[in-house]
Amino acid sequence: PLHFIHSAGIADPENLDSISAANLEAHFQINTIAPTLMVKGLLPLMEKSRILFISSGLVDFAIGGLSAYSMSKSALRALQRSINEELKPDKAICGVLYPSIFDSPMQTSLREATDFVSADLFKSYEQEKKLHTASDVASFVKNVLLNTSNEDFKSKVWDVDNTQHVEVSR
């Protein structure tokens, strides 16, 4: 079986009242269109495969300045549901995972962004030591991908902050 993880992402802060078409297009290109086309291209190679999309809790709530990111990750969630509806399970199933806030280049860029209304929030995550390590998140991703039942894999929104999810994935 082929396992495909889409974890690429772009979060270029811009307030909704001034957001550009180019910013929206960039977010959707990286966060939604690219994984759609990659899955489509890999379909001939898939048999009993798993697809895992790394999404964001921003699907369920908003942080000022990140509306394009939130919208594009919401569309990724819709893609996950469509894959599970349209593909036969013996071809591929698709899961989605929220990695929470973790120490990553994206976090650094959000802390350092100028004219970003929520930059202080991202600075506080680091100052208050609220960031997960990339290694811990990677272990969680690996466990969800390899150690969950097919039904759980495709039906749960896996969240690294949910202790029940962490236990199930081990």
Side-chain angles (χ1 to χ4, degrees), residues 6 9-10 22 29 36 41 67 75 77 82 87 117 124-125 159:
H6 180 269
I10 178 176
Q29 185 63 45
T36 302
S67 58
R77 177 80 168 96
S82 295
L87 295 183
V117 67
S124 76
Y125 294 152
D159 186 341

Side-chain angles (χ1 to χ4, degrees), residues 8-107:
I10 178 176
D12 186 13
E14 195 168 5
N15 288 340
L16 192 57
D17 63 353
S18 61
I19 199 162
S20 66
N23 187 303
L24 282 169
E25 289 171 5
H27 280 82
F28 276 89
Q29 185 63 45
I30 298 292
N31 297 342
T32 311
I33 296 170
T36 302
L37 296 177
M38 291 175 81
V39 167
K40 181 184 174 195
L42 290 170
L43 282 176
L45 303 174
M46 291 185 175
E47 183 178 322
K48 296 186 183 191
S49 297
R50 285 188 171 198
I51 302 161
L52 184 60
F53 293 142
I54 309 302
S55 187
S56 171
L58 288 179
V59 166
D60 299 321
F61 64 92
I63 291 178
L66 293 176
S67 58
Y69 179 78
S70 180
M71 288 184 279
S72 63
K73 288 296 188 172
S74 292
L76 186 64
R77 177 80 168 96
L79 173 60
Q80 179 250 350
R81 290 189 302 265
S82 295
I83 289 169
N84 287 329
E85 176 65 27
E86 295 180 13
L87 295 183
K88 292 185 183 333
D90 61 338
K91 180 63 113 172
I93 57 174
C94 188
V96 67
L97 183 144
Y98 294 173
S100 187
I101 51 174
F102 69 100
D103 196 14
S104 68
M106 183 182 291
Q107 283 289 323

Side-chain angles (χ1 to χ4, degrees), residues 1-6 39 42 46-53 83-84 89-95 141-154 158:
L2 173 74
H3 296 318
F4 171 71
I5 300 171
H6 180 269
V39 167
L42 290 170
M46 291 185 175
E47 183 178 322
K48 296 186 183 191
S49 297
R50 285 188 171 198
I51 302 161
L52 184 60
F53 293 142
I83 289 169
N84 287 329
D90 61 338
K91 180 63 113 172
I93 57 174
C94 188
V141 168
K142 178 183 173 186
N143 285 332
V144 167
L145 185 67
L146 300 176
N147 299 325
T148 57
S149 70
N150 285 347
E151 188 57 36
D152 279 349
F153 178 78
K154 70 180 188 175
W158 293 94

